[in-house]
Amino acid sequence: MDIQFYNTLTHKREPFAPIDPPHVYMYNCGPTVYDFAHIGNFRAFVFADVLRRFLELAGYEVHQVMNLTDVGHMTDDQVADGGGEDKMQVAARRLKEAKKSGKLTAGDVTNPDDPYQVARFYINAFIEDARALGLKIASDPPNGSNIPLNMPRATDHVGKMMKLILQLVENRHAYVGSDGAVYYDVQSFPDYGKLSGNTLDRLRTGAGGRIDDQHQAVKKHPADFLLWKPDKSHIMKWESPWGVGYPGWHIECSAMAMELTGRETLDIHTGGEDNIFPHHECEIAQSCGATGKPSFSRFWMHTRFLLVEGEKMSKSKGNFFTVRDLIAKGVDPAVIRFELLKAHYRSNMNFTMKGLEDSASAVRRLREAAAQFEKAGGQAPTSVSHPVIDDFLAALADDLNVSGALGVVFKWLGEVHDDPAQSLAVLRRVDSVLNVLRVSPSAAGSGDDNTAELCKSLDAARASKDFAAADRIRKELQDAGYEVLTSKTAGTTVRRKLI
Ligand code: AMP
Ligand code: ZN
């Protein structure tokens, strides 16, 4: 199959083939676990999941690693290196305040001064949200911890980070500054700037505030970035050859990517567009500087940002949503997933309530089709080849053209289906990528015994023209999360609201 992906590194579409087929080694920059992940973060993660599932449907075996950043991501890391406060410190303060004001129960985080507890709290929340959105996360490790195997925590891999830094010092790509911190020497790496276009010449002549100026006096070049920061007072700290301190954010991903995939050159590395610079530019410099390999990842794929109703998401504008906010409002997680995956990953996605309603209709249509096929044809065969699957795959092979792929599926659903068992099998294959057919507990079925009784009572009330009673029963059903449907032939029925 001819797969083409847009590669940020080469600024063009290229045929995709893994180094060691059928294996694909993919690393996704994961969440900083200092707060609940928002729907923008999940756009990046759902994209990674769809990419993985597409590659699997195309016959590859995908080794996917998505890290959990629980130390060293500073509040100023987007514009400066190592500036500001560790985000875990910010989280600890926030949780302390929440505890004081009674918003946080003792069972959640007993001691907000323990950053590991704070991290665990948000990691568990992230995994819960990721499961709700149908991310394909590995089964839990046998020790009962809630962290799936392919989601490494940065704090568990500090040893590998130190090894990499030692290697970089030995290879003369890193130096210890007069402040005792270890910096990467960007001038030692001629390819610096290749990914983002922020070459050293451009950065030297003023990067528009995009590089650090706090440590100018001790650095050889303003774009040199922090690998290890000695700091005995930091919220999380480790003994190292450079004193007690903590690693820089960028080195974490280089270390975890190589350690967890066992590869020095990956097939695919992903992240949101804000990760391109400085984070991924620095990851390349570090990884290639340490291994001597010409490439750290063959493909670099980045999702554009998600906007809400056309604007940047921000708490002050009241348009900031976490996944759990939306689920609490009664939105089925599969509808959120569908909404996040349906726009092309390289265009800004505009998250709107109207869009969410359209996604709910689409998910309902897919689920109703599956139910119809099931009713008419029983069990689906386990393997099936069908032009719809070929066309669905071909659209996704075209730089993950999800809307084209959905177009194929919905057009086919509108056609006559003579072989329901085969149609069900086709739909299940398609859903191995979309993953919206599974029904979450909050959106289960078309009602239980109790709702069936209420529907009967509603019909009886209506027949005897007791409209007050009919209204009361309808409201009771609606309050329980159902849409009430009336038809002349079937009388009153209910279906779960998806939004
Ligand atoms: P963070 O938790 O800040 O480290 O971000 C986790 C991931 O979410 C990164 O890959 C970011 O690039 C991505 N991200 C953050 N905000 C957005 C957004 N509004 N839209 C899409 N991706 C985002
Ligand atoms: Zn990263």
Side-chain angles (χ1 to χ4, degrees), residues 456-489:
K456 268 194 216 153
S457 311
L458 201 156
D459 284 335
R462 211 185 267 130
S464 59
K465 299 209 177 336
D466 183 353
F467 296 118
D471 285 350
R472 204 179 51 244
I473 300 167
R474 185 181 299 105
K475 182 155 186 321
E476 191 177 330
L477 286 164
Q478 285 167 338
D479 290 348
Y482 293 98
E483 277 177 74
V484 180
L485 312 167
T486 320
S487 95
K488 282 214 171 91
T489 45

Side-chain angles (χ1 to χ4, degrees), residues 27 29-30 67 249 253 269 275 279-280 283:
Y27 184 85
C29 280
N67 72 296
W249 172 41
C253 282
H269 194 312
N275 286 157
H279 189 47
H280 290 167
E283 273 191 49

Side-chain angles (χ1 to χ4, degrees), residues 153-197:
R153 280 189 287 209
T155 50
D156 286 336
H157 298 276
V158 177
K160 172 72 181 176
M161 295 167 204
M162 286 186 211
K163 269 194 209 150
L164 267 185
I165 299 171
L166 281 171
Q167 188 69 56
L168 286 169
V169 172
E170 197 181 310
N171 294 0
R172 297 187 180 281
H173 284 295
Y175 61 93
V176 180
S178 56
D179 58 350
V182 189
Y183 293 99
Y184 190 93
D185 179 358
V186 290
Q187 293 168 103
S188 72
F189 190 71
D191 274 351
Y192 193 87
K194 207 171 155 190
L195 180 77
S196 64

Side-chain angles (χ1 to χ4, degrees), residues 15-209:
F16 171 80
I19 299 165
D20 180 18
H23 304 281
V24 174
Y25 294 89
M26 170 163 84
Y27 184 85
N28 319 117
C29 280
T32 304
V33 287
Y34 80 119
D35 206 343
F36 299 113
H38 56 65
I39 51 174
N41 301 133
F42 268 104
R43 178 179 204 208
F45 308 141
V46 168
F47 159 74
D49 184 65
V50 169
L51 180 58
R52 172 206 177 131
R53 287 166 178 273
F54 155 63
L55 289 167
E56 285 174 343
L57 188 59
Y60 292 107
E61 253 176 61
V62 183
H63 306 259
Q64 183 189 7
V65 179
M66 182 187 286
N67 72 296
L68 301 162
T69 305
D70 58 355
V71 65
H73 194 174
M74 310 301 278
T75 49
D76 292 348
D77 268 342
Q78 281 316 324
V79 288
D81 189 77
E85 217 181 342
D86 194 306
K87 292 189 177 193
M88 296 312 296
Q89 182 90 53
V90 177
R93 201 170 44 240
R94 191 178 345 96
L95 289 184
K96 222 180 209 165
E97 278 158 23
K99 212 164 162 59
K100 245 193 236 157
S101 63
K103 283 188 197 143
L104 195 69
T105 60
D108 294 334
V109 176
T110 49
N111 177 16
D113 282 323
D114 175 358
Y116 288 92
Q117 266 197 33
V118 174
R120 198 166 336 121
F121 175 69
Y122 286 116
I123 287 171
N124 287 343
F126 174 73
I127 290 171
E128 225 172 84
D129 292 346
R131 285 221 165 92
L133 291 197
L135 264 60
K136 199 169 198 173
I137 43 188
S139 56
D140 294 347
N143 64 12
S145 131
N146 202 6
I147 303 167
L149 287 171
N150 62 352
M151 282 188 176
R153 280 189 287 209
T155 50
D156 286 336
H157 298 276
V158 177
K160 172 72 181 176
M161 295 167 204
M162 286 186 211
K163 269 194 209 150
L164 267 185
I165 299 171
L166 281 171
Q167 188 69 56
L168 286 169
V169 172
E170 197 181 310
N171 294 0
R172 297 187 180 281
H173 284 295
Y175 61 93
V176 180
S178 56
D179 58 350
V182 189
Y183 293 99
Y184 190 93
D185 179 358
V186 290
Q187 293 168 103
S188 72
F189 190 71
D191 274 351
Y192 193 87
K194 207 171 155 190
L195 180 77
S196 64
N198 287 326
T199 53
L200 295 185
D201 292 351
R202 288 204 189 158
L203 289 174
R204 200 187 290 278
T205 53

